[in-house]
Amino acid sequence: MVDVADRIALPEALTELEDVRPGSPFMRPVELVAAALVALIIGVLLLGVTSRYVFSLPVIWIDEVASISFLWLAMLGAAIAIDRNEHLRLTLFVGMMPERLRGFANTFALLVVAAFLLAMVWPAIDYAIEESFVTSAALNIPNSWRVSAIATGIVLMTLLALRHAWRTATLRDFILASALVIAIGIAFWLLTPTFKGLGYGNILIFLLGVVALCLVAGVPIAFCFGMGTLCFLMFSTSVPMIVMVGRMDEGMSSIILLSVPIFVLLGCVLDATGMGKAIVDFLASMLGHVRAGMSYVLLGSLFLVSGISGSKVSDMATVAPALFPEMKRRGYQPKELIALLSTGAAMADTVPPSIVLIVLGSVAGVSIAGLFNSGFAIAMVLLLALAILARWKARHEDMTGVRRVSLAVIGKTALIAGPALVLPFIIRGAVGGGIATATEVSTIAVLYALVIGMILYGGISPRKFYAMFVETAALSGAILMILGTALAMAWALTQTGFARDLATFMAGLPGGWITFMAVTIVVFMILGCVLEGLPAIVLMAPLMFPIAKNLGINDVHYSMVVVTAMNIGLMTPPIGIGFYIACKIGNVSPDEAMGAIWPYLIALLAGLVIIALVPGISTWVL
């Protein structure tokens, strides 16, 4: 079984900030600019929050400055992620190949990325020229100041992909992979007249076939979507490529998504200051003496910590090192720990501030306040299902020498954890109560975590601070690049009329909304296995949510089913990426852990069925 380090570089980005993989020397200025943009965005948003809530004087240019900085951050961050090999990709199949063929596949993947980016350079430049005739309302400057970030980022990523392919490949692999990419391109061009008469057949060829081929070859997911959409538009339609650039801009530029990099930074601060460990220690002092108590502590810690970090990787990396040694001493098998850790992280992904919920609210037009309110209730249902199973499995737990800790110790850990425990409830209360937007709350939360974390939990060195900002840029760029290309692909699907025909087909299924819910669960579990959360949501939400609405399903209820199904798929072996991340963090072989996770996945699935069939669980808090 392939090691997670070969599948995805995401865990390293969040859990090893002191040992961040250095990028290319000539990228240092880009990293510096990206880090400065992160600081600028936070500073500008804090200024807006202060002027609005303290002085009641809204500053009209803040949104425009934040929007310009955000798109530049996204594109420069995506380039940094290329340089550091931190774009999300599936290499399960590449890992199964012989060593010689594996090198060729990696070179082919990099050249596919380069080919896509080369094809987008001139459309991106044309898009910037067109946008120069549009003037911003507050700053009164051409919009090309903002969208020129797309062309700059694409050129930079092209150079980096070609450089990386040349430096890492043998000459033979480079020539053969280049010839294969060119041959496929020529074949598609020669078959263009045929493609234009195939109708929906082009969806199978390009939006499924090309994307699947790229996934198998280990091409980063963002560029799988991009290449599939590019080929579809170029060889089977007459749509100019500048339209695709516009759709990518739309996917990456929503003002709601401003909270994504800030919550990513919040997760980094949580790791760096030890605030998450303080919560774990408090729960351990409360529940550690009861049978299955450490399982309850692990699940409860994931529940609470996720309300601060918004990141599954950060959650697992915070909780596992603090709890696994004691749980092993009590007789827990390593494979059981991984099963509990991974499914617990899946359970906690609906707890605000979930980046997945923020993205879903943005692309599907669902109230983020409603999602945040409902997410707590949904996570509680899943938490209960996992806790019941954990209690049954702990019936033979070795409790020798385990004693209830004194009230003094509990009080001390509560005092230390108190400031950290308050944070998730501040986030949920402010957004859910309509007091502030998710973006405003995320900014306040970062400031709170920095001040409290550095005063009470330990300082952050300047080197680590800079590393956190650069990693925030890289991870945010990787996420937003996926959103941009996935939205372009979703737009291409809707333009074919496929969405309309899919809605008609779904509406005609026997069983009404219940059958549709069952189909939704299957679809998003499969997509969660293969694509991970964000791309699956951006790709399918524009298609599925209108159908759900026509069937009378509440959009928040449907959102909870979608996110939960997707997270179950994410943790389902042998493909689910989240499962391998958990194995890497817990230092357990995936082969060993795979057999133990199924009862926990069944418990989550049982909770999901209840959530799907009882809408009131999702909507009673609205």
Side-chain angles (χ1 to χ4, degrees):
M1 186 59 64
V2 65
D3 186 80
V4 69
D6 293 326
R7 294 168 55 88
I8 176 174
L10 195 57
E12 296 174 341
L14 285 180
T15 62
E16 298 177 10
L17 291 174
E18 286 287 12
D19 301 306
V20 167
R21 178 172 22 198
S24 306
F26 70 86
M27 283 294 289
R28 300 293 164 76
V30 177
E31 293 178 356
L32 184 61
V33 172
L37 286 171
V38 174
L40 175 63
I41 289 171
I42 293 173
V44 166
L45 293 177
L46 280 173
L47 175 62
V49 171
T50 304
S51 64
R52 176 181 168 187
Y53 290 104
V54 178
F55 301 107
S56 299
L57 295 172
V59 182
I60 59 174
W61 50 263
I62 280 181
D63 281 353
E64 288 187 8
V65 172
S67 178
I68 293 170
S69 304
F70 182 54
L71 187 56
W72 277 95
L73 173 66
M75 296 309 298
L76 295 182
I80 294 170
I82 287 273
D83 185 47
R84 298 183 174 200
N85 193 29
E86 291 183 2
H87 276 280
L88 183 66
R89 67 191 188 110
L90 179 70
T91 59
L92 176 68
F93 301 104
V94 174
M96 295 177 179
M97 297 177 183
E99 185 68 32
R100 185 176 178 182
L101 187 58
R102 191 182 307 166
F104 171 78
N106 287 330
T107 305
F108 175 76
L110 283 167
L111 291 177
V112 167
V113 171
F116 165 72
L117 293 168
L118 278 171
M120 299 301 296
V121 169
W122 288 115
I125 294 173
D126 288 342
Y127 184 66
I129 294 171
E130 275 205 6
E131 290 295 307
S132 66
F133 299 103
V134 180
T135 303
S136 64
L139 296 175
N140 198 31
I141 59 175
N143 196 41
S144 55
W145 285 36
R146 185 183 68 85
V147 300
S148 57
I150 300 176
T152 303
I154 286 175
V155 170
L156 194 54
M157 285 189 284
T158 303
L159 296 175
L160 289 167
L162 288 172
R163 176 181 180 271
H164 193 46
W166 178 255
R167 286 168 61 92
T168 58
T170 63
L171 181 60
R172 176 179 176 276
D173 284 345
F174 189 88
I175 292 173
L176 289 177
S178 300
L180 180 58
V181 171
I182 294 171
I184 293 173
I186 293 174
F188 281 167
W189 179 71
L190 293 174
L191 291 170
T192 296
T194 304
F195 291 142
K196 290 189 174 181
L198 291 181
Y200 284 168
N202 290 311
I203 295 177
L204 293 174
I205 295 171
F206 297 113
L207 301 185
L208 289 179
V210 171
V211 172
L213 174 64
C214 291
L215 278 172
V216 169
V219 176
I221 290 175
F223 302 100
C224 293
F225 290 158
M227 183 56 83
T229 308
L230 174 70
C231 292
F232 175 78
L233 295 177
M234 182 177 290
F235 299 118
S236 70
T237 75
S238 301
V239 175
M241 290 303 101
I242 193 174
V243 175
M244 182 173 174
V245 179
R247 300 288 74 77
M248 289 174 61
D249 179 21
E250 181 183 342
M252 292 186 287
S253 299
S254 172
I255 200 71
I256 296 175
L257 297 176
L258 263 174
S259 57
V260 170
I262 304 175
F263 277 130
V264 170
L265 178 60
L266 185 59
C268 294
V269 173
L270 173 71
D271 287 338
T273 59
M275 294 178 73
K277 186 177 183 303
I279 294 176
V280 173
D281 291 342
F282 168 65
L283 291 178
S285 69
M286 291 282 292
L287 300 171
H289 62 282
V290 302
R291 190 172 298 279
M294 296 306 292
S295 296
Y296 301 153
V297 171
L298 189 149
L299 293 172
S301 298
L302 288 169
F303 185 95
L304 290 174
V305 170
S306 66
I308 302 175
S309 72
S311 163
K312 286 186 289 295
V313 177
S314 180
D315 301 343
M316 292 190 289
T318 298
V319 171
L323 294 179
F324 276 17
E326 172 62 17
M327 296 179 77
K328 288 177 181 177
R329 192 197 68 77
R330 296 194 185 190
Y332 284 83
Q333 297 296 316
K335 60 183 181 181
E336 293 289 337
L337 297 180
I338 295 303
L340 195 60
L341 179 70
S342 56
T343 52
M347 165 272 299
D349 207 34
T350 62
V351 179
S354 166
I355 292 175
V356 170
L357 292 184
I358 294 168
V359 171
L360 179 57
S362 172
V363 300
V366 184
S367 163
I368 292 180
L371 294 175
F372 275 23
N373 279 330
S374 181
F376 265 100
I378 296 305
M380 287 298 297
V381 173
L382 301 175
L383 176 66
L384 180 62
L386 290 175
I388 291 172
L389 176 61
R391 176 63 183 84
W392 181 78
K393 280 185 164 287
R395 62 194 185 277
H396 301 305
E397 180 180 351
D398 182 10
M399 302 295 291
T400 304
V402 177
R403 298 287 183 271
R404 183 194 298 268
V405 301
S406 67
L407 289 177
V409 173
I410 294 176
K412 181 180 178 181
T413 56
L415 187 63
I416 295 172
L421 283 168
V422 168
L423 189 52
F425 297 99
I426 292 176
I427 294 170
R428 185 259 180 187
V431 177
I435 299 172
T437 66
T439 303
E440 292 169 339
V441 170
S442 65
T443 311
I444 297 170
V446 165
L447 181 63
Y448 174 91
L450 281 173
V451 173
I452 296 298
M454 293 191 340
I455 292 175
L456 298 182
Y457 299 103
I460 303 175
S461 68
R463 179 174 176 269
K464 196 168 190 176
F465 221 113
Y466 176 75
M468 288 195 307
F469 274 43
V470 174
E471 282 304 320
T472 296
L475 183 53
S476 300
I479 291 172
L480 293 166
M481 195 68 189
I482 289 174
L483 298 186
T485 55
L487 187 68
M489 184 172 173
W491 174 84
L493 273 172
T494 59
Q495 296 309 301
T496 64
F498 176 76
R500 180 189 62 248
D501 293 343
L502 178 65
T504 302
F505 171 75
M506 289 289 191
L509 289 175
W513 72 272
I514 293 179
T515 302
F516 177 69
M517 277 295 196
V519 171
T520 294
I521 290 172
V522 173
V523 166
F524 277 93
M525 282 184 64
I526 294 172
L527 289 176
C529 280
V530 178
L531 297 181
E532 210 264 335
L534 297 178
I537 281 177
V538 179
L539 184 61
M540 294 302 295
L543 300 179
M544 303 293 276
F545 272 77
I547 303 172
K549 189 172 184 179
N550 289 337
L551 291 172
I553 300 173
N554 181 277
D555 54 1
V556 173
H557 173 214
Y558 190 64
S559 298
M560 293 300 113
V561 173
V562 164
V563 172
T564 304
M566 186 189 64
N567 282 328
I568 294 175
L570 181 66
M571 298 299 176
T572 301
I575 298 177
I577 293 172
F579 169 73
Y580 293 95
I581 294 175
C583 291
K584 179 69 174 178
I585 290 173
N587 196 27
V588 175
S589 164
D591 290 337
E592 181 182 356
M594 197 174 293
I597 197 173
W598 297 109
Y600 294 93
L601 290 174
I602 292 171
L604 284 181
L605 191 58
L608 174 58
V609 170
I610 294 171
I611 292 165
L613 294 178
V614 186
I617 297 175
S618 304
T619 60
W620 70 273
V621 293
L622 302 182

